[in-house]
PDB file of all heavy atoms in Angstrom:
ATOM      1  N   GLU A 472     294.029 146.499 144.088  1.00 82.00           N
ATOM      2  CA  GLU A 472     293.807 147.938 143.933  1.00 82.00           C
ATOM      3  C   GLU A 472     295.069 148.652 143.441  1.00 82.00           C
ATOM      4  O   GLU A 472     295.002 149.517 142.561  1.00 82.00           O
ATOM      5  CB  GLU A 472     293.372 148.513 145.283  1.00 82.00           C
ATOM      6  CG  GLU A 472     292.918 149.961 145.216  1.00 82.00           C
ATOM      7  CD  GLU A 472     291.690 150.134 144.325  1.00 82.00           C
ATOM      8  OE1 GLU A 472     290.880 149.178 144.209  1.00 82.00           O
ATOM      9  OE2 GLU A 472     291.560 151.225 143.730  1.00 82.00           O
ATOM     10  N   SER A 473     296.252 148.249 144.040  1.00 80.00           N
ATOM     11  CA  SER A 473     297.495 148.904 143.612  1.00 80.00           C
ATOM     12  C   SER A 473     297.802 148.560 142.150  1.00 80.00           C
ATOM     13  O   SER A 473     298.334 149.395 141.404  1.00 80.00           O
ATOM     14  CB  SER A 473     298.651 148.478 144.514  1.00 80.00           C
ATOM     15  OG  SER A 473     298.929 147.094 144.369  1.00 80.00           O
ATOM     16  N   LEU A 474     297.469 147.341 141.700  1.00 82.00           N
ATOM     17  CA  LEU A 474     297.702 146.957 140.314  1.00 82.00           C
ATOM     18  C   LEU A 474     296.819 147.757 139.355  1.00 82.00           C
ATOM     19  O   LEU A 474     297.261 148.190 138.286  1.00 82.00           O
ATOM     20  CB  LEU A 474     297.451 145.459 140.143  1.00 82.00           C
ATOM     21  CG  LEU A 474     298.515 144.535 140.743  1.00 82.00           C
ATOM     22  CD1 LEU A 474     298.024 143.105 140.764  1.00 82.00           C
ATOM     23  CD2 LEU A 474     299.812 144.634 139.938  1.00 82.00           C
ATOM     24  N   ARG A 475     295.561 147.978 139.713  1.00 87.00           N
ATOM     25  CA  ARG A 475     294.649 148.760 138.856  1.00 87.00           C
ATOM     26  C   ARG A 475     295.113 150.219 138.775  1.00 87.00           C
ATOM     27  O   ARG A 475     295.040 150.843 137.715  1.00 87.00           O
ATOM     28  CB  ARG A 475     293.226 148.667 139.396  1.00 87.00           C
ATOM     29  CG  ARG A 475     292.607 147.272 139.241  1.00 87.00           C
ATOM     30  CD  ARG A 475     291.133 147.266 139.633  1.00 87.00           C
ATOM     31  NE  ARG A 475     290.512 145.974 139.406  1.00 87.00           N
ATOM     32  CZ  ARG A 475     290.271 145.099 140.379  1.00 87.00           C
ATOM     33  NH1 ARG A 475     290.638 145.373 141.637  1.00 87.00           N
ATOM     34  NH2 ARG A 475     289.698 143.948 140.094  1.00 87.00           N
ATOM     35  N   ASN A 476     295.588 150.763 139.915  1.00 87.00           N
ATOM     36  CA  ASN A 476     296.084 152.148 139.897  1.00 87.00           C
ATOM     37  C   ASN A 476     297.298 152.271 138.980  1.00 87.00           C
ATOM     38  O   ASN A 476     297.446 153.258 138.245  1.00 87.00           O
ATOM     39  CB  ASN A 476     296.456 152.588 141.311  1.00 87.00           C
ATOM     40  CG  ASN A 476     295.231 152.723 142.193  1.00 87.00           C
ATOM     41  OD1 ASN A 476     294.101 152.928 141.690  1.00 87.00           O
ATOM     42  ND2 ASN A 476     295.424 152.633 143.500  1.00 87.00           N
ATOM     43  N   TRP A 477     298.185 151.261 139.033  1.00 86.00           N
ATOM     44  CA  TRP A 477     299.356 151.276 138.153  1.00 86.00           C
ATOM     45  C   TRP A 477     298.945 151.181 136.681  1.00 86.00           C
ATOM     46  O   TRP A 477     299.481 151.871 135.823  1.00 86.00           O
ATOM     47  CB  TRP A 477     300.259 150.106 138.531  1.00 86.00           C
ATOM     48  CG  TRP A 477     301.407 149.890 137.592  1.00 86.00           C
ATOM     49  CD1 TRP A 477     302.557 150.595 137.529  1.00 86.00           C
ATOM     50  CD2 TRP A 477     301.477 148.895 136.565  1.00 86.00           C
ATOM     51  NE1 TRP A 477     303.368 150.113 136.528  1.00 86.00           N
ATOM     52  CE2 TRP A 477     302.726 149.058 135.923  1.00 86.00           C
ATOM     53  CE3 TRP A 477     300.620 147.882 136.122  1.00 86.00           C
ATOM     54  CZ2 TRP A 477     303.132 148.254 134.861  1.00 86.00           C
ATOM     55  CZ3 TRP A 477     301.025 147.088 135.070  1.00 86.00           C
ATOM     56  CH2 TRP A 477     302.265 147.263 134.458  1.00 86.00           C
ATOM     57  N   ALA A 478     297.962 150.316 136.407  1.00 88.00           N
ATOM     58  CA  ALA A 478     297.494 150.153 135.024  1.00 88.00           C
ATOM     59  C   ALA A 478     296.836 151.426 134.503  1.00 88.00           C
ATOM     60  O   ALA A 478     296.982 151.787 133.323  1.00 88.00           O
ATOM     61  CB  ALA A 478     296.530 148.974 134.943  1.00 88.00           C
ATOM     62  N   ASP A 479     296.096 152.154 135.342  1.00 90.00           N
ATOM     63  CA  ASP A 479     295.430 153.395 134.932  1.00 90.00           C
ATOM     64  C   ASP A 479     296.433 154.429 134.434  1.00 90.00           C
ATOM     65  O   ASP A 479     296.136 155.217 133.526  1.00 90.00           O
ATOM     66  CB  ASP A 479     294.633 153.978 136.097  1.00 90.00           C
ATOM     67  CG  ASP A 479     293.335 153.209 136.330  1.00 90.00           C
ATOM     68  OD1 ASP A 479     292.858 152.556 135.377  1.00 90.00           O
ATOM     69  OD2 ASP A 479     292.814 153.259 137.456  1.00 90.00           O
ATOM     70  N   LYS A 480     297.633 154.424 135.023  1.00 90.00           N
ATOM     71  CA  LYS A 480     298.646 155.393 134.623  1.00 90.00           C
ATOM     72  C   LYS A 480     299.171 155.115 133.217  1.00 90.00           C
ATOM     73  O   LYS A 480     299.653 156.015 132.535  1.00 90.00           O
ATOM     74  CB  LYS A 480     299.814 155.380 135.607  1.00 90.00           C
ATOM     75  CG  LYS A 480     299.421 155.827 137.008  1.00 90.00           C
ATOM     76  CD  LYS A 480     300.603 155.710 137.960  1.00 90.00           C
ATOM     77  CE  LYS A 480     300.179 156.103 139.373  1.00 90.00           C
ATOM     78  NZ  LYS A 480     301.295 155.957 140.344  1.00 90.00           N
ATOM     79  N   LEU A 481     299.079 153.847 132.764  1.00 89.00           N
ATOM     80  CA  LEU A 481     299.584 153.465 131.448  1.00 89.00           C
ATOM     81  C   LEU A 481     298.524 153.582 130.364  1.00 89.00           C
ATOM     82  O   LEU A 481     298.856 153.765 129.187  1.00 89.00           O
ATOM     83  CB  LEU A 481     300.126 152.035 131.484  1.00 89.00           C
ATOM     84  CG  LEU A 481     301.373 151.830 132.348  1.00 89.00           C
ATOM     85  CD1 LEU A 481     301.721 150.363 132.428  1.00 89.00           C
ATOM     86  CD2 LEU A 481     302.551 152.607 131.764  1.00 89.00           C
ATOM     87  N   GLY A 482     297.281 153.435 130.726  1.00 91.00           N
ATOM     88  CA  GLY A 482     296.240 153.597 129.713  1.00 91.00           C
ATOM     89  C   GLY A 482     295.037 152.705 129.976  1.00 91.00           C
ATOM     90  O   GLY A 482     295.080 151.748 130.771  1.00 91.00           O
ATOM     91  N   GLU A 483     293.971 153.038 129.247  1.00 91.00           N
ATOM     92  CA  GLU A 483     292.691 152.326 129.449  1.00 91.00           C
ATOM     93  C   GLU A 483     292.788 150.866 129.034  1.00 91.00           C
ATOM     94  O   GLU A 483     292.200 149.987 129.650  1.00 91.00           O
ATOM     95  CB  GLU A 483     291.606 153.043 128.649  1.00 91.00           C
ATOM     96  CG  GLU A 483     290.223 152.439 128.824  1.00 91.00           C
ATOM     97  CD  GLU A 483     289.155 153.200 128.038  1.00 91.00           C
ATOM     98  OE1 GLU A 483     289.468 154.292 127.536  1.00 91.00           O
ATOM     99  OE2 GLU A 483     288.032 152.686 127.925  1.00 91.00           O
ATOM    100  N   GLU A 484     293.559 150.600 127.932  1.00 91.00           N
ATOM    101  CA  GLU A 484     293.671 149.233 127.444  1.00 91.00           C
ATOM    102  C   GLU A 484     294.466 148.353 128.424  1.00 91.00           C
ATOM    103  O   GLU A 484     294.137 147.183 128.618  1.00 91.00           O
ATOM    104  CB  GLU A 484     294.341 149.216 126.066  1.00 91.00           C
ATOM    105  CG  GLU A 484     293.570 149.928 124.982  1.00 91.00           C
ATOM    106  CD  GLU A 484     292.242 149.228 124.662  1.00 91.00           C
ATOM    107  OE1 GLU A 484     292.066 148.056 125.084  1.00 91.00           O
ATOM    108  OE2 GLU A 484     291.392 149.835 124.017  1.00 91.00           O
ATOM    109  N   VAL A 485     295.503 148.926 129.035  1.00 91.00           N
ATOM    110  CA  VAL A 485     296.264 148.167 130.046  1.00 91.00           C
ATOM    111  C   VAL A 485     295.364 147.836 131.225  1.00 91.00           C
ATOM    112  O   VAL A 485     295.372 146.716 131.735  1.00 91.00           O
ATOM    113  CB  VAL A 485     297.510 148.955 130.498  1.00 91.00           C
ATOM    114  CG1 VAL A 485     298.245 148.195 131.614  1.00 91.00           C
ATOM    115  CG2 VAL A 485     298.447 149.211 129.347  1.00 91.00           C
ATOM    116  N   ARG A 486     294.543 148.833 131.629  1.00 91.00           N
ATOM    117  CA  ARG A 486     293.625 148.591 132.743  1.00 91.00           C
ATOM    118  C   ARG A 486     292.633 147.502 132.387  1.00 91.00           C
ATOM    119  O   ARG A 486     292.352 146.606 133.203  1.00 91.00           O
ATOM    120  CB  ARG A 486     292.890 149.890 133.086  1.00 91.00           C
ATOM    121  CG  ARG A 486     291.721 149.721 134.052  1.00 91.00           C
ATOM    122  CD  ARG A 486     292.142 149.230 135.430  1.00 91.00           C
ATOM    123  NE  ARG A 486     291.006 149.002 136.291  1.00 91.00           N
ATOM    124  CZ  ARG A 486     290.513 149.921 137.132  1.00 91.00           C
ATOM    125  NH1 ARG A 486     291.061 151.119 137.206  1.00 91.00           N
ATOM    126  NH2 ARG A 486     289.479 149.640 137.884  1.00 91.00           N
ATOM    127  N   GLY A 487     292.151 147.491 131.153  1.00 92.00           N
ATOM    128  CA  GLY A 487     291.216 146.440 130.741  1.00 92.00           C
ATOM    129  C   GLY A 487     291.858 145.070 130.767  1.00 92.00           C
ATOM    130  O   GLY A 487     291.227 144.086 131.171  1.00 92.00           O
ATOM    131  N   TRP A 488     293.124 145.005 130.292  1.00 90.00           N
ATOM    132  CA  TRP A 488     293.809 143.695 130.286  1.00 90.00           C
ATOM    133  C   TRP A 488     294.069 143.201 131.718  1.00 90.00           C
ATOM    134  O   TRP A 488     293.913 142.017 131.994  1.00 90.00           O
ATOM    135  CB  TRP A 488     295.121 143.819 129.529  1.00 90.00           C
ATOM    136  CG  TRP A 488     295.753 142.491 129.204  1.00 90.00           C
ATOM    137  CD1 TRP A 488     295.457 141.686 128.151  1.00 90.00           C
ATOM    138  CD2 TRP A 488     296.774 141.828 129.948  1.00 90.00           C
ATOM    139  NE1 TRP A 488     296.218 140.542 128.168  1.00 90.00           N
ATOM    140  CE2 TRP A 488     297.049 140.611 129.284  1.00 90.00           C
ATOM    141  CE3 TRP A 488     297.464 142.136 131.098  1.00 90.00           C
ATOM    142  CZ2 TRP A 488     298.002 139.699 129.741  1.00 90.00           C
ATOM    143  CZ3 TRP A 488     298.426 141.233 131.562  1.00 90.00           C
ATOM    144  CH2 TRP A 488     298.684 140.023 130.884  1.00 90.00           C
ATOM    145  N   VAL A 489     294.437 144.110 132.623  1.00 90.00           N
ATOM    146  CA  VAL A 489     294.667 143.746 134.035  1.00 90.00           C
ATOM    147  C   VAL A 489     293.371 143.264 134.673  1.00 90.00           C
ATOM    148  O   VAL A 489     293.336 142.251 135.391  1.00 90.00           O
ATOM    149  CB  VAL A 489     295.253 144.940 134.804  1.00 90.00           C
ATOM    150  CG1 VAL A 489     295.208 144.687 136.310  1.00 90.00           C
ATOM    151  CG2 VAL A 489     296.680 145.211 134.358  1.00 90.00           C
ATOM    152  N   ASP A 490     292.264 143.950 134.412  1.00 90.00           N
ATOM    153  CA  ASP A 490     290.970 143.528 134.973  1.00 90.00           C
ATOM    154  C   ASP A 490     290.595 142.133 134.488  1.00 90.00           C
ATOM    155  O   ASP A 490     290.059 141.309 135.243  1.00 90.00           O
ATOM    156  CB  ASP A 490     289.872 144.520 134.580  1.00 90.00           C
ATOM    157  CG  ASP A 490     289.970 145.826 135.372  1.00 90.00           C
ATOM    158  OD1 ASP A 490     290.587 145.797 136.461  1.00 90.00           O
ATOM    159  OD2 ASP A 490     289.436 146.845 134.911  1.00 90.00           O
ATOM    160  N   ALA A 491     290.865 141.863 133.201  1.00 90.00           N
ATOM    161  CA  ALA A 491     290.547 140.543 132.642  1.00 90.00           C
ATOM    162  C   ALA A 491     291.376 139.451 133.324  1.00 90.00           C
ATOM    163  O   ALA A 491     290.877 138.348 133.598  1.00 90.00           O
ATOM    164  CB  ALA A 491     290.785 140.543 131.128  1.00 90.00           C
TER     165      ALA A 491
END
Side-chain angles (χ1 to χ4, degrees):
E472 188 62 29
S473 66
L474 287 168
R475 291 187 176 102
N476 292 336
W477 172 78
D479 284 337
K480 296 176 182 178
L481 294 174
E483 183 179 350
E484 297 294 345
V485 177
R486 169 64 184 267
W488 193 83
V489 168
D490 286 338

